[in-house]
Amino acid sequence: MSSIRTRLADLAELTAFLPKLLEKLSIARGQIIVDQLRSAIDDGKGDAIVIVEAIDEAAGCEARIAAAILIDHVKGATEPPNDSATMLHAGWIDSHQNGHPPEAIRSLRTLLNQTLVQRGVHFVQWATDADDYSEAAETWSEGLGFEWAADLDYMTVDLNGSKIAPLANIPETLSFRPLQWEGGNLARPDQFASLVQQTYVDTLDCPALLKYRTAAETLRNYQQSAAFAPQLWFEILRKSDAIDRERGAASVGVLIMGLHGGEDEADAPPNGNPNAAVTELVYMGIVADVRGESFGSQVMQFALQTSHQFGADRMILAVDQQNHYARRLYEACGMRCMLNESVAVKKL
């Protein structure tokens, strides 16, 4: 008979084993996890933190041997609904691990999946340090049912020093039309989701995610982000088509940006909000039929100019390491890598 038992732990119990759970992570990764936990608690969403642990009851002595911690984004979500969760970390707690590692991981996976499904979670994402994908980390990732999706570079550019490299000889042929919102929701969500889906064709930006999430599901997650800024969502048209709107010209792409650091980021006004310290390029995409016309360069110029208008001192973004075309574009704009991550995902 197995001596391994799994259970849901209370948030109050976390401090008893969190340092031990995180001790083999990098300082930066450990700080990211602690900050995410603190943010959820400070926002009054402590019930969104899910903690499952494995206990070994061998020899009549209960010992915590492993745990997994997630943040459930369904809890506390407003419209539109969210069905995702973020795995913060999963791993061993003490030396008892040598007795039943495979069994402990399988048991945690069963309880974790049951708990998340009951909460309405259907998609889970797990980010780890790119250079920490060891055999032990792979054992946990695969054991809990995750599949590697991408290695990401997080890039940044300083907007204050006017060090942004100009993209010379790029004609301005694009127009950026802000999206219309009604009561905090997109006025035409299906139409915009269809446009975003078109930009996914032959994408080099995390293509593995396409079998897990539709454009509509991804857009709903963007709207639940703390950096959500509806005034920074745009559809992209050719200038000639934007002027002649009566023809119903098709959009050629999308630009979605976010704001970090403001007291009320979603309502941040343009032209110098001192609290909006960082803008994020959340997603940019051009439909496949019109790629190769330097549209990406124009989108980046517009994104940088918009960041200046909102008083931001930095712009950040994440890019798939395999997307060499995008990386070259971002580097040409003066962006430099500040962090690497490996991302794994699972669908329930």
Side-chain angles (χ1 to χ4, degrees):
M1 184 175 177
S2 173
S3 63
I4 300 295
R5 177 171 61 90
T6 55
R7 62 185 286 269
L8 286 170
D10 293 331
L11 183 58
E13 301 176 63
L14 185 58
T15 55
F17 61 87
L18 184 62
K20 196 71 175 179
L21 183 65
L22 303 183
E23 69 177 4
K24 293 186 177 180
L25 296 180
S26 68
I27 294 175
R29 178 60 51 187
Q31 188 62 55
I32 289 172
I33 292 171
V34 170
D35 287 346
Q36 288 176 300
L37 289 168
R38 182 182 294 117
S39 178
I41 294 170
D42 290 345
D43 291 343
K45 297 179 181 178
D47 59 347
I49 300 173
V50 180
I51 308 166
V52 294
E53 61 178 6
I55 296 173
D56 190 351
E57 298 178 321
C61 178
E62 291 192 357
R64 289 188 173 100
I65 61 172
I69 307 173
L70 299 93
I71 293 182
D72 161 16
H73 301 303
V74 177
K75 289 287 186 181
T78 56
E79 291 296 327
N82 202 331
D83 68 342
S84 67
T86 298
M87 173 74 81
L88 299 186
H89 186 53
W92 305 112
I93 295 176
D94 65 22
S95 59
H96 289 80
Q97 62 178 280
N98 297 323
H100 311 276
E103 181 184 354
I105 295 176
R106 287 196 300 270
S107 299
L108 281 175
R109 175 177 177 174
T110 298
L111 178 57
L112 192 59
N113 288 354
Q114 291 174 348
T115 302
L116 294 177
V117 169
Q118 290 172 358
R119 285 171 166 248
V121 172
H122 300 293
F123 176 75
V124 188
Q125 182 169 299
W126 187 2
T128 59
D129 290 335
D131 58 356
D132 188 41
Y133 205 69
S134 61
E135 182 177 348
E138 187 174 359
T139 297
W140 270 98
S141 181
E142 294 181 355
L144 292 178
F146 285 85
E147 179 182 352
W148 174 88
D151 290 328
L152 301 179
D153 283 343
Y154 286 82
M155 305 184 75
T156 183
V157 64
D158 181 357
L159 301 174
N160 284 330
S162 300
K163 301 294 185 182
I164 302 170
L167 298 174
N169 302 318
I170 300 298
E172 294 185 5
T173 61
L174 297 180
S175 175
F176 296 82
R177 181 189 299 173
L179 297 187
Q180 299 299 311
W181 300 82
E182 297 176 353
N185 294 314
L186 278 170
R188 295 177 294 172
D190 293 341
Q191 181 176 328
F192 188 65
S194 176
L195 174 59
V196 173
Q197 195 75 43
Q198 293 176 55
T199 70
Y200 288 170
V201 175
D202 297 328
T203 182
L204 298 177
D205 206 15
C206 305
L209 288 178
L210 299 184
K211 67 180 180 180
Y212 290 94
R213 303 299 274 172
T214 65
E217 289 170 332
T218 299
L219 291 173
R220 285 198 294 269
N221 286 353
Y222 290 162
Q223 288 177 253
Q224 293 294 342
S225 166
F228 173 52
Q231 72 276 41
L232 294 180
W233 286 42
F234 305 91
E235 59 178 323
I236 305 171
L237 298 90
R238 297 179 189 270
K239 276 192 173 181
S240 56
D241 293 338
I243 294 173
D244 187 8
R245 295 185 180 184
E246 296 301 320
R247 292 188 299 153
S251 299
V252 298
V254 302
L255 171 64
I256 299 174
M257 298 177 66
L259 285 171
H260 296 268
E263 295 178 0
D264 190 354
E265 293 158 345
D267 296 325
N271 301 318
N273 177 359
N275 294 317
V278 179
T279 52
E280 178 180 1
L281 198 161
V282 178
Y283 179 72
M284 61 176 282
I286 301 296
V287 299
D289 292 345
V290 296
R291 290 174 190 159
E293 300 185 35
S294 298
F295 286 170
S297 299
Q298 293 185 63
V299 175
M300 279 300 296
Q301 292 284 52
F302 177 82
L304 292 168
Q305 292 167 3
T306 301
S307 297
H308 274 296
Q309 292 172 2
F310 275 77
D313 56 17
R314 280 193 302 133
M315 187 174 80
I316 61 174
L317 58 82
V319 60
D320 191 319
Q321 289 182 358
Q322 301 304 310
N323 193 344
H324 303 296
Y325 300 104
R327 284 177 52 86
R328 284 199 294 268
L329 171 63
Y330 301 148
E331 289 170 354
C333 294
M335 304 200 77
R336 297 294 177 262
C337 183
M338 60 178 177
L339 176 70
N340 311 111
E341 283 189 343
S342 285
V343 177
V345 295
K346 66 183 291 184
K347 195 165 187 176
L348 299 172

